[in-house]
């Protein structure tokens, strides 16, 4: 299931990241293709989350972090001069491992991003809210309770709400860090379907510990180990004929 | 580990120590309840008769307080108490929350620690010292303003308010800071990841999420302000007339210590009446806050 378009959306060049003395990413060179799903796999602590956070600069909030190398997004360096991080993060949305809706109403959760980016008109906000919730396949479940607290939803619903909240800012890339690891199998499959649908419009990078999930939804798979990108190829190739022994060991479960 | 341990108690029932302790705890709890009930009863018994005698309406809404003439209207004091307390809370709330945000989110650790120590110190200063400082520093400052506006110079509502602001700030700051710190980091991360600036994430997510804690700070602050007498006596001018911002005022609390020593008979009864009024007011405020807190709990929208 190779992606239908091969346009490059994002590229990292010799990306190194240090947490103080800990060398967490060691020279990552990787392309993310437009309108494809890229899965990041690898044992715990290998740097998947760290890598993901370099792409929308969420690492900026950690004081000890030092980064060298480049992240090129549509030809512009994410770590270059004069980058407006708020615009970057609007363009590169993120969904976290455990659902984290704000303690506000469902409506206000979705409208948060657009409001922060200057949208004030009620009518437009209404539209954005409906569109985002529909895209995240949760509109029917919540349309009668938009004014109710988002924390009253189930975990799976909350996670789809968070995806909707992310879509509301009209991102081009979605970063998802183990978005289904806190969910039951039914919620998980709903979100997997959703992710698969979203690929039509968005470029998606997803971290997962679930090999079947990576195989099911992704077009490309990257295998990380100890801060290095060991192998990166189409998901088909990685799962049917990995070139590196370590990759094979990992996906067949003989490792980590 | 071949033997398994039986979970059937060796001794039946609770041990003697446990039973005594339970009894002790029960007694302590009962003491508190008895105290509150007794105080309420006593206030009603002591303050009730004079209110009945003067008439509830004339007592609460009477505009003249003149014990020599047997005129016992406490309306000016009620309004002054509400004005001083309300004004103080309105000023202290935004200041307090901003300082709390600074301490919880923006200040470098060392500066935050130093500031926190200072604020704790502020909370421990006896109120009469605040009154003294107010009388020496603040009131003369306001004299200038009064002179400029061709008003008679005197202690005044503004001074009382500002002194109360300083006295309730430590409470509001520390309670709000705790509340803001307790907001899960995930909320702020989510806000940042959606492209908020740091300040937007604080003001649009963290503070609303800390709302119930901040309201608790307001309740405590209000309680302290409305019950304060010592500091206020020294700066308020103490005339029992309807309040103006730059004119002298007398609050419910201050009337009692001012007149206690030389009062007797109905006059003294009337001071009990004021005590009862204060008691009821504080109860009412507490109840109202509690109700609104429950209704608009932390997880309500906007
Ligand atoms: N804030 C931090 N400060 C210091 N070291 C960190 C920090 N965050 C992560 N690390 C270290 O960086 C390395 C990579 O961590 P990261 O969270 O990216 O791993 P991961 O692949 O996402 O693991 P998991 O699958 O368990 O989520 C680990 O060794 C971790 O201990
Ligand atoms: Mg991780």
């Amino acid at each position: 299931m190779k992606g239908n378009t091969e346009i490059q959306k994002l590229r990292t060049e010799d990306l190194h990241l240090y947490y103080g003395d800990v060398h967490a990413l060691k020279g990552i060179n990787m392309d993310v293709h437009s309108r494809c799903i890229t899965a990041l796999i690898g044992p715990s602590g290998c740097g998947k989350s760290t890598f993901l956070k370099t792409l929308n600069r969420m690492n900026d909030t950690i004081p000890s972090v030092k980064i060298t190398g480049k992240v090129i997004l549509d030809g512009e360096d994410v770590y270059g001069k004069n980058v407006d991080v708020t615009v970057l993060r609007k363009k590169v949305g993120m969904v976290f491992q455990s659902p984290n809706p704000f303690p506000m109403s469902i409506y206000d959760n979705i409208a948060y991003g657009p409001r922060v980016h200057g949208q004030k008109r009620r009518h437009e906000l209404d539209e954005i809210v409906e569109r985002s919730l529909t895209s995240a396949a949760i509109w029917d479940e919540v349309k009668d309770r938009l004014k109710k607290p988002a924390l009253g939803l189930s975990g799976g619903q909350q996670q789809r709400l968070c995806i909707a909240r992310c879509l509301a800012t009209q991102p081009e890339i979605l970063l998802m860090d183990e978005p289904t690891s806190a969910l039951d199998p039914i919620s998980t499959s709903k979100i997997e379907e959703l992710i698969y649908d979203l690929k039509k419009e968005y470029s998606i990078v997803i971290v997962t510990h679930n090999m079947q999930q990576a195989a099911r939804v992704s077009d490309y798979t990257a295998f990380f180990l100890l801060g290095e990108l060991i192998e990166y190829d189409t998901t088909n190739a990685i799962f049917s004929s990995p070139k590196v022994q370590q990759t094979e060991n990992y996906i067949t479960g003989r490792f980590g | 580990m071949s033997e398994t341990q039986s979970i059937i108690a060796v001794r039946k029932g609770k041990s003697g120590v446990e039973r005594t302790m339970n009894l002790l705890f029960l007694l302590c709890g009962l003491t508190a309840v008895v105290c509150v009930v007794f105080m309420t009863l006593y206030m009603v018994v002591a303050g009730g008769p004079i209110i009945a005698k003067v008439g509830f309406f004339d007592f609460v809404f009477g505009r003249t307080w003149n014990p020599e003439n047997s005129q016992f209207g406490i309306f000016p004091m009620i309004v002054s108490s509400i004005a001083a307390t309300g004004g103080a809370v309105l000023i202290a709330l935004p200041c307090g929350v901003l300082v709390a945000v600074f301490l919880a989110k923006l200040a470098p650790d060392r500066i935050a620690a130093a500031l926190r120590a200072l604020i704790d110190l502020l909370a421990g200063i006896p109120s009469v010292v605040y009154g003294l400082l107010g009388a020496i520093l603040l009131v003369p400052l306001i004299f200038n303003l009064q002179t400029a506006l061709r008003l008679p110079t005197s202690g005044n509502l503004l001074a009382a308010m500002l002194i109360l602001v300083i006295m309730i700030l430590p409470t509001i700051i520390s309670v709000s800071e705790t509340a803001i710190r307790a907001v899960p980091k995930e909320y702020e991360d989510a806000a940042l990841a959606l492209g908020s600036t740091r300040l937007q994430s604080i003001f649009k997510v963290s503070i609303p999420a800390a709302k119930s804690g901040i309201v608790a700070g307001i309740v405590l602050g209000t309680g302290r302000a409305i019950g304060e007498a010592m500091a206020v006596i020294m700066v308020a001018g103490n005339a029992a007339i309807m309040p103006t911002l730059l004119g002298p005022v007398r609050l419910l609390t201050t009337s009692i210590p001012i007149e206690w020593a030389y009062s007797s008979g109905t006059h003294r009864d009337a001071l009990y009446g004021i005590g009862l009024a204060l008691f009821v007011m504080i109860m009412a405020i507490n109840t109202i806050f509690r109700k609104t807190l429950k209704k608009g709990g932390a997880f309500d929208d906007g």
Side-chain angles (χ1 to χ4, degrees), chain A residues 39-44 48 208-216 218 220-225 230-256:
Chain A
L40 309 182
I41 60 172
S44 194
K48 306 179 296 292
T208 178
H209 277 288
N210 180 331
M211 290 308 110
Q212 286 89 12
Q213 185 170 70
R216 269 195 304 265
S218 70
Y220 291 89
T221 297
F223 173 60
F224 282 74
L225 188 60
I230 302 294
E231 189 169 354
Y232 178 49
D233 207 331
T234 61
T235 299
N236 269 337
I238 291 271
F239 280 89
S240 57
S241 51
K243 295 190 186 63
V244 184
Q245 186 62 38
Q246 287 155 316
T247 313
E248 185 173 347
N249 290 348
Y250 182 73
I251 55 183
T252 53
R254 265 176 286 156
F255 187 107

Side-chain angles (χ1 to χ4, degrees), chain A residues 48-49 97 177-178 207:
Chain A
K48 306 179 296 292
S49 300
Q97 177 168 2
D177 196 348
E178 303 182 45
V207 174

Side-chain angles (χ1 to χ4, degrees), chain B residues 61-242:
Chain B
F61 294 104
R63 295 250 183 148
T64 323
W65 174 261
N66 189 351
E68 281 84 59
N69 245 336
S70 292
Q71 284 176 298
F72 298 109
I74 63 168
F75 193 59
M77 301 173 205
I78 294 181
V79 177
S80 303
S81 272
I82 293 174
T85 304
V89 171
L90 279 185
I91 299 171
L93 179 64
C95 299
V97 171
L98 286 182
V99 175
V101 165
F102 179 71
L103 289 178
K105 298 285 176 195
L106 305 175
D109 287 349
R110 239 192 274 156
I111 293 177
L115 260 178
R116 231 174 269 132
L118 274 177
I119 290 165
D120 288 344
L121 208 66
L122 217 58
I125 295 175
S127 56
V128 69
V129 174
Y130 281 110
L132 210 61
L133 291 174
I136 300 171
L137 301 174
L138 190 58
V139 172
L141 218 67
I142 299 176
F143 280 176
N144 295 334
L145 188 62
Q146 288 168 327
T147 324
L149 294 171
R150 294 173 198 283
L151 293 167
T153 56
S154 68
N156 51 68
L157 177 61
L158 181 62
M161 236 186 242
L162 293 178
I163 286 291
L164 288 176
V165 167
I166 297 173
M167 293 186 65
I168 64 178
L169 260 179
T171 314
I172 294 189
I173 291 171
S174 65
V175 176
S176 305
E177 193 201 341
T178 313
I180 292 170
R181 272 183 194 281
V183 173
K185 189 175 176 299
E186 283 74 25
Y187 294 160
E188 219 171 284
D189 283 346
L192 291 175
L194 288 166
S196 316
T197 61
R198 188 83 206 285
L199 285 183
Q200 283 170 332
S201 79
I202 292 172
F203 283 96
K204 289 174 190 255
V205 175
S206 301
I207 291 183
K211 196 170 62 180
S212 63
I214 293 172
V215 173
I218 301 175
V219 175
L220 289 174
T222 309
R224 176 146 200 222
I226 205 167
E228 178 54 42
M230 220 44 234
V232 175
I233 284 189
M234 303 184 67
V235 299
N238 303 318
I241 52 175
M242 288 303 275

Side-chain angles (χ1 to χ4, degrees), chain A:
Chain A
M1 42 172 157
K2 208 159 175 169
N4 35 11
T5 43
E6 296 292 315
I7 306 163
Q8 179 197 74
K9 185 72 184 165
L10 189 138
R11 176 175 91 242
T12 68
E13 287 176 7
D14 195 29
L15 185 69
H16 290 265
L17 184 143
Y18 305 81
Y19 290 110
D21 296 334
V22 181
H23 197 175
L25 293 177
K26 300 171 184 167
I28 310 292
N29 292 292
M30 192 174 135
D31 296 347
V32 171
H33 301 277
S34 191
R35 301 195 178 177
C36 289
I37 299 174
T38 307
L40 309 182
I41 60 172
S44 194
C46 67
K48 306 179 296 292
S49 300
T50 301
F51 178 73
L52 208 61
K53 284 190 268 179
T54 57
L55 305 184
N56 67 344
R57 290 187 55 167
M58 280 300 282
N59 284 322
D60 288 12
T61 58
I62 305 168
S64 65
V65 164
K66 198 174 146 275
I67 294 170
T68 63
K70 283 184 178 163
V71 177
I72 308 291
L73 169 62
D74 290 328
E76 296 168 323
D77 187 359
V78 164
Y79 288 91
K81 270 190 204 149
N82 302 328
V83 168
D84 183 342
V85 182
T86 63
V87 179
L88 167 70
R89 291 182 186 150
K90 176 178 182 298
K91 185 168 169 176
V92 185
M94 182 166 223
V95 175
F96 294 79
Q97 177 168 2
S98 45
N100 56 356
F102 300 130
M104 322 167 173
S105 69
I106 293 170
Y107 185 98
D108 288 338
N109 261 279
I110 309 297
Y112 180 89
R115 279 180 179 146
V116 161
H117 294 288
Q119 182 59 263
K120 292 208 174 65
R121 279 192 296 259
R122 184 79 198 185
H123 181 69
E124 321 259 312
L125 285 174
D126 287 349
E127 244 174 46
I128 294 173
V129 168
E130 175 166 356
R131 185 166 8 99
S132 311
L133 287 168
T134 308
S135 313
I138 191 181
W139 172 250
D140 288 331
E141 286 158 75
V142 301
K143 64 170 184 274
D144 299 321
R145 51 195 288 201
L146 293 176
K147 295 286 161 203
K148 293 273 158 52
L151 293 176
L153 298 171
S154 75
Q157 289 173 325
Q158 287 187 12
Q159 193 62 302
R160 276 178 287 149
L161 179 82
C162 290
I163 294 174
R165 180 175 67 184
C166 198
L167 299 182
T169 60
Q170 298 181 306
E172 295 169 29
I173 300 183
L174 286 179
L175 308 176
M176 301 184 166
D177 196 348
E178 303 182 45
T180 61
S181 67
L183 306 179
D184 70 287
I186 295 173
S187 304
T188 298
S189 71
K190 274 190 187 158
I191 292 196
E192 279 181 16
E193 274 170 41
L194 168 60
I195 293 171
Y196 200 78
D197 274 350
L198 291 174
K199 168 169 104 150
K200 291 182 204 118
E201 289 180 62
Y202 305 90
S203 315
I204 298 172
V205 184
I206 178 173
V207 174
T208 178
H209 277 288
N210 180 331
M211 290 308 110
Q212 286 89 12
Q213 185 170 70
R216 269 195 304 265
V217 301
S218 70
D219 303 297
Y220 291 89
T221 297
F223 173 60
F224 282 74
L225 188 60
L226 296 173
E228 283 176 78
L229 176 57
I230 302 294
E231 189 169 354
Y232 178 49
D233 207 331
T234 61
T235 299
N236 269 337
I238 291 271
F239 280 89
S240 57
S241 51
K243 295 190 186 63
V244 184
Q245 186 62 38
Q246 287 155 316
T247 313
E248 185 173 347
N249 290 348
Y250 182 73
I251 55 183
T252 53
R254 265 176 286 156
F255 187 107

